[in-house]
Amino acid sequence: MATEAQKRKRKDPAFAEYGSHTAGHFWCELLSELALTLHRIGNVTDQVPEEVKAVLRESENAPDWGPVRSALADTALDGLWKIAQEAFASNPKTLSRGLRLLALLICPDPGAHERVTEASVGPLAREVFSEETEGRLEFAQLLGD
């Protein structure tokens, strides 16, 4: 980024102040937004195996397969999709979780940074705390009162 800023400052003097533009909440917000986008992509990629199965069932040979071959095809497609995600580096949702955690760790003040709270804290809290855990916490709080 510093190299790019050096190149651009010849045409635009505002790039000479490179460091001040990446201070504060620059990185944590950037990571939070990337995590949010990857999570959305993950929601779409989760649908890939079912979409492929639907297309496969519409193929001309599918009616002759019978229940066993159809079930095996479904299992094979699920397995192939998991392997494909590994080959593409990672599941977008897993990568998203890591980026959210990183954004929180580097944010100078996550509690005061509304966008990091929306894009990282909230989703992590929903992932980490299941309804059962929330119920237990509420019950423990009642016992403490």
Side-chain angles (χ1 to χ4, degrees):
M1 286 179 43
T3 304
E4 185 64 23
Q6 286 294 324
K7 288 181 199 173
R8 289 186 176 210
K9 80 177 183 181
R10 293 181 194 117
K11 294 179 184 174
D12 185 350
F15 280 90
E17 300 172 22
Y18 158 72
S20 66
H21 293 289
T22 57
H25 292 287
F26 175 81
W27 285 107
C28 52
E29 186 153 350
L30 188 70
L31 290 170
S32 289
E33 295 303 328
L34 181 58
L36 183 62
T37 302
L38 283 168
H39 189 83
R40 289 178 181 156
I41 290 169
N43 287 337
V44 173
T45 60
D46 286 348
Q47 299 170 14
V48 169
E50 293 306 316
E51 291 293 323
V52 173
K53 290 173 192 176
V55 170
L56 186 61
R57 288 183 189 110
E58 293 171 5
S59 72
E60 60 188 57
N61 294 331
D64 299 331
W65 283 8
V68 173
R69 188 169 181 181
S70 295
L72 291 173
D74 287 354
T75 302
L77 282 168
D78 290 337
L80 287 170
W81 183 242
K82 286 179 185 176
I83 292 168
Q85 286 182 310
E86 292 299 321
F88 297 141
S90 181
N91 178 318
K93 287 184 178 179
T94 303
L95 186 55
S96 173
R97 185 179 314 117
L99 289 172
R100 285 182 169 129
L101 288 168
L102 182 58
L104 287 173
L105 290 172
I106 67 169
C107 187
D109 187 3
H113 191 175
E114 186 178 335
R115 194 61 198 139
V116 167
T117 300
E118 290 174 7
S120 291
V121 176
L124 281 171
R126 285 188 292 279
E127 270 183 57
V128 174
F129 295 114
S130 68
E131 288 181 26
E132 182 179 340
T133 303
E134 288 176 4
R136 287 180 181 177
L137 288 172
E138 288 173 13
F139 182 70
Q141 192 174 30
L142 289 173
L143 290 176
D145 290 340

